Amino acid sequence: MAAMLTIKDLVVDFKTRAGNARVLNHVSLELMNGEILGIVGESGCGKSMTALSVMGLVPSPPGNVTGGSISLEGEELTTASGKRMREIRGGIISMIFQEPMTSLNPVFKVGDQIAECVLLHENVTKAQAWQRAVEMLTKVGIPEPEMRASSYPHELSGGMRQRVMIAMALSCHPRVLIADEPTTALDVTVQAQIFDLLKDLQKDTGTAIIMITHDMGAIAELADRVAVMYAGHIIESGPTNEILTNPQHPYTRGLIACVPHLEEDPSEIRPYLSEIKGVVPSLTDLGKGCAFADRCAYKTPVCEEEQPLIEAIAEGHSVACYNVKYVVAV
Amino acid sequence: MSEDALLEVRDLKVHFGGKKLFKKSMIVHAVDGVSFSVPKGKTLGIVGESGSGKTTTALAVLRLVPITAGDIRLDDLEISSLEKEDLRKSRRRFQMIFQDPYSSLDPRQRVGEIVREPLDLMDIGEESERDQMVRDLFVQVGLRPELTNLFPHQFSGGQRQRVGLARALSTKPDLIVCDEPVSALDVAVQAQILNLMRKLQEDLGLTYLFISHDLGVVQHLCDHVAVMYLGQIVEQADRISLFKNPQHPYTKALLSAVPKARARDGSEERIRLMGDPPSPINLPKGCRFAGRCPVALDKCHHEEPPLVDRGNGHLASCHLLD
């Protein structure tokens, strides 16, 4: 399968009063044609910043892409002109956000908002664009789409709004869809509906999806491959089932173990949850060693010397840790 | 389980709205006849979608919203009939921790003052001892006592939630109502706070009323679980019985909607729930879940099913179980 989007050694710095914060530190990722790639990590790990870099939306100042490349089927995006980026955004790569209420304009009908996107990218009349909006609303499973297109965002429920966002994002048949925590603000039953919808649309249109989340459950549900981020680094990546059943990096293990998973057959005895001790380090004073070293139970002297590079340990499974073999043995 | 109950709520109703000039009266049935009890030292979890009335139930227990009908009793204290000064004084026995650790702490107060304020208001301990009491509370929730002079913005989300816990603990309450206390936190921090809450419960014999939409967290922390839908409890049981043997179709759908963080083998069959819950203003006739229920009978649309014991204290309201 060919790579749709290739991110290589991407570095993004933010100038802050406390000093330079390296929010993305040599991030390399590949998004294949028609796959769903999950990016998982805690707040501040750089997962949303990766998405914004691809969209060319890193807030600047204070942010700056200081190194690396993002290539969309061979076309370099980090140096693309503003005009070209506007064509790409919404046309070839589009994005859906976490909070569907704040990302829709409250004073326009949802149909107009979808039509605006179509008018911008394609040579169509207003009536055709509106027709497309209605079509898209039908596609994402909104009942009575003709009527709903004339609704304002506040007249819709959270799940409906997120469907509108998805309809808007897909209205120009993008090749890549970036979903940044698309279901975090929604109830589980609605979340399940949105997951089903994304899966179905992905199957129909073949759009490649980058799914950003903090929820390993969402990853298990949707993603084909997953990349785990910590403090601006990708510390582990691989096929979803492999990462879930055979995580190698101590942080990935901690992340999976610290969540109370819903059991169908819960036991009487409830052990305390395993914790990842300590807190996420401040990005302005990262030492030269592994960013996770201070919280790691397997730390060795070399971990404090240099950030480990991410290396393949099996087919498609890469880890950035000096002590992989040791972790495996435990 | 009412013998040793610390908190007992009977037929609680909270309705909002009423007659409007020139308009049809619109009454929101936020909580509509809810009964439960929580034994001392245990945790009752209330789960449900947004709009199910779980937060309103919690607020009503704390007397933070006007109660339309029903009784709330905490040990020997009839909370539902307390007024004014009696109510204020009794608040030391029931405290709350909030969902958002950012908006629930006053940004202009030092965290030490935030934790000390209830002590001053409730006149607890000698004035000269209160600073020491605050430092002790900080240690209890795992914060260094020298941090009392800092402001909330200097803390991370997890630390702020610890401050919120210290504030709730300061009056030595019997009951702590927790409204989604970990849903705004990162998973690693969430584990730390959940462990802290369990440890405090074991050490101090606290009773929690725990509101959450996260079924994994509820299963981990709670001894009993009540499932709410549109202002009513549709199923209630002890932790093992509810998760192992869910009875109500809504509970089953809710459990099946939770994404499982494990490898897929393609065998999972998910119950798909369509649409959203109906509005609590125009309640449907019959069972409130009937419109979305995958197995609804004709009867369900006309007759409201009662919440009855299906054996061993496992309550569920569904015609299909009769």
Side-chain angles (χ1 to χ4, degrees):
Chain A
M1 233 189 276
M4 183 74 219
L5 187 74
T6 311
I7 303 175
K8 213 164 164 36
D9 275 330
L10 187 68
V11 181
V12 174
D13 287 325
F14 269 60
K15 291 211 172 10
T16 67
R17 250 185 280 175
N20 192 45
R22 182 149 286 189
V23 296
L24 291 185
N25 204 332
H26 297 279
V27 166
S28 296
L29 272 178
E30 262 189 346
L31 178 68
M32 298 301 166
N33 255 332
E35 79 166 343
I36 304 184
L37 170 71
I39 302 182
V40 64
E42 292 177 88
S43 347
C45 71
K47 54 192 195 303
S48 289
M49 201 45 69
T50 307
L52 291 180
S53 314
V54 173
M55 298 292 282
L57 291 175
V58 174
S60 172
N64 247 323
V65 178
T66 38
S69 75
I70 303 168
S71 113
L72 176 75
E73 291 186 310
E75 182 181 357
E76 179 58 39
L77 298 187
T78 51
T79 53
S81 68
K83 181 166 175 289
R84 179 65 189 144
M85 280 315 290
R86 277 194 295 279
E87 284 167 18
I88 290 172
R89 273 195 295 266
I92 303 174
I93 308 176
S94 56
M95 186 158 173
I96 49 181
F97 299 88
Q98 176 173 355
E99 223 330 304
M101 191 65 220
T102 51
S103 17
L104 287 169
N105 191 331
V107 300
F108 290 105
K109 292 172 185 165
V110 296
D112 282 330
Q113 298 188 49
I114 301 171
E116 183 189 3
C117 177
V118 181
L119 277 171
L120 205 61
H121 289 286
E122 288 174 29
N123 193 11
V124 291
T125 64
K126 269 191 180 162
Q128 284 170 321
W130 180 267
Q131 202 45 51
R132 173 83 68 81
V134 174
E135 246 169 62
M136 290 313 297
L137 291 176
T138 319
K139 218 177 195 173
V140 296
I142 288 185
E144 303 169 273
E146 284 93 0
M147 202 184 90
R148 280 301 171 201
S150 302
S151 299
Y152 291 92
H154 75 268
E155 297 175 294
L156 304 175
S157 67
M160 286 294 164
R161 281 181 216 140
Q162 198 56 285
R163 281 167 197 266
V164 169
M165 286 298 294
I166 294 171
M168 191 186 301
L170 295 177
S171 60
C172 294
H173 310 298
R175 309 283 305 278
V176 179
L177 175 70
I178 302 177
D180 189 359
E181 307 257 10
T183 58
T184 308
L186 305 176
D187 281 316
V188 278
T189 51
V190 183
Q191 166 174 291
Q193 294 169 6
I194 298 289
F195 283 168
D196 286 340
L197 173 66
L198 282 174
K199 267 189 277 191
D200 291 346
L201 290 173
Q202 203 266 348
K203 233 178 264 163
D204 289 353
T205 60
T207 308
I209 300 179
I210 298 180
M211 163 94 180
I212 294 171
T213 180
H214 66 275
D215 181 1
M216 272 293 181
I219 292 287
E221 194 82 20
L222 273 182
D224 303 311
R225 281 194 311 131
V226 53
V228 185
M229 290 192 74
Y230 185 78
H233 296 272
I234 290 181
I235 50 117
E236 183 160 6
S237 70
T240 305
N241 284 358
E242 168 84 6
I243 299 288
L244 287 172
T245 52
N246 187 24
Q248 294 297 319
H249 197 286
Y251 178 67
T252 315
R253 295 181 160 223
L255 208 55
I256 293 172
C258 73
V259 182
H261 295 296
L262 186 65
E263 308 284 343
E264 273 153 36
D265 191 3
S267 73
E268 291 281 352
I269 311 141
R270 279 176 286 172
Y272 276 75
L273 293 167
S274 72
E275 290 179 23
I276 305 174
K277 58 175 185 167
V279 291
V280 179
S282 157
L283 291 173
T284 49
D285 56 29
L286 285 178
K288 54 186 172 165
C290 172
F292 188 62
D294 280 345
R295 306 174 74 184
C296 185
Y298 306 99
K299 186 172 75 174
T300 53
V302 64
C303 298
E304 303 206 313
E305 290 305 313
E306 211 178 335
Q307 170 69 31
L309 296 174
I310 187 156
E311 280 168 9
I313 56 158
E315 180 66 35
H317 189 171
S318 308
V319 185
C321 179
Y322 290 117
N323 303 310
V324 170
K325 289 192 192 78
Y326 179 64
V327 177
V328 175
V330 171
Chain B
M1 62 184 188
S2 62
E3 298 266 302
D4 54 346
L6 178 85
L7 175 72
E8 185 147 16
V9 172
R10 218 159 343 115
D11 212 21
L12 177 71
K13 286 185 182 163
V14 181
H15 295 175
F16 296 112
K19 261 216 150 79
K20 292 248 165 59
L21 198 63
F22 306 126
K23 271 189 177 169
K24 243 171 65 189
S25 74
M26 299 220 285
I27 293 171
V28 178
H29 302 79
V31 178
D32 212 16
V34 160
S35 304
F36 58 83
S37 62
V38 195
K40 188 163 172 42
K42 299 286 182 189
T43 304
L44 173 74
I46 302 183
V47 297
E49 290 173 278
S50 30
S52 61
K54 50 193 197 304
T55 295
T56 310
T57 304
L59 294 177
V61 167
L62 298 166
R63 286 292 304 275
L64 293 174
V65 290
I67 298 166
T68 311
D71 296 316
I72 304 164
R73 187 179 57 77
L74 181 76
D75 212 0
D76 52 345
L77 195 70
E78 200 66 50
I79 297 182
S80 43
S81 59
L82 288 172
E83 286 307 329
K84 297 191 174 141
E85 190 58 16
D86 290 337
L87 176 62
R88 194 187 74 81
K89 283 208 174 112
S90 67
R91 284 195 192 279
R92 64 178 290 179
R93 296 185 56 187
F94 45 98
Q95 291 287 320
M96 181 163 190
I97 49 178
F98 298 88
Q99 171 170 11
D100 185 354
Y102 294 85
S103 59
S104 56
L105 300 177
D106 182 347
R108 279 173 286 201
Q109 257 187 323
R110 292 176 197 279
V111 289
E113 291 166 18
I114 290 175
V115 175
R116 189 193 154 116
E117 198 168 11
L119 299 175
D120 291 336
L121 285 172
M122 293 290 172
D123 205 19
I124 296 167
E126 290 298 317
E127 232 183 301
S128 54
E129 295 167 3
R130 285 182 195 151
D131 280 334
Q132 187 52 45
M133 290 167 79
V134 170
R135 282 193 288 274
D136 292 344
L137 283 163
F138 266 58
V139 174
Q140 204 163 35
V141 297
L143 291 170
R144 278 180 291 134
E146 59 271 24
L147 299 178
T148 51
N149 270 331
L150 300 182
F151 287 97
H153 74 263
Q154 291 165 295
F155 289 86
S156 67
Q159 285 176 314
R160 285 179 211 216
Q161 210 54 310
R162 288 176 197 264
V163 173
L165 257 170
R167 174 175 61 185
L169 291 173
S170 62
T171 63
K172 300 200 165 48
D174 302 316
L175 172 76
I176 296 186
V177 173
C178 320
D179 188 7
E180 306 260 13
V182 294
S183 51
L185 305 175
D186 271 317
V187 286
V189 182
Q190 170 178 306
Q192 294 169 358
I193 298 292
L194 287 174
N195 283 347
L196 173 65
M197 285 181 65
R198 275 187 66 184
K199 185 163 184 308
L200 290 170
Q201 181 167 45
E202 279 163 25
D203 292 353
L204 307 172
L206 294 171
T207 306
Y208 292 133
L209 182 62
F210 190 87
I211 315 291
S212 181
H213 68 276
D214 186 329
L215 291 154
V217 169
V218 167
Q219 186 183 65
H220 175 77
L221 195 79
C222 300
D223 303 290
H224 294 274
V225 183
V227 182
M228 282 189 78
Y229 189 78
L230 266 186
Q232 292 184 328
I233 290 177
V234 295
E235 182 159 5
Q236 189 178 357
D238 67 84
R239 167 179 170 270
I240 302 283
S241 181
L242 188 111
F243 287 105
K244 206 171 180 172
N245 194 15
Q247 298 289 317
H248 198 283
Y250 177 64
T251 313
K252 289 181 187 169
L254 210 55
L255 290 174
S256 106
V258 178
K260 314 286 187 296
R262 56 159 187 247
R264 273 173 290 180
D265 56 8
S267 68
E268 296 90 353
E269 197 57 41
R270 177 184 286 157
I271 307 168
R272 289 188 181 206
L273 268 195
M274 295 303 168
D276 299 304
S279 137
I281 298 170
N282 303 312
L283 286 169
K285 235 176 99 188
C287 173
R288 294 177 183 193
F289 183 57
R292 294 172 84 196
C293 184
V295 288
L297 307 168
D298 193 39
K299 184 184 180 187
C300 302
H301 294 281
H302 308 293
E303 207 177 306
E304 199 167 330
L307 185 68
V308 288
D309 195 334
R310 311 286 169 179
N312 298 323
H314 191 135
L315 310 177
S317 64
C318 180
H319 286 311
L320 284 151
L321 303 170
D322 296 339

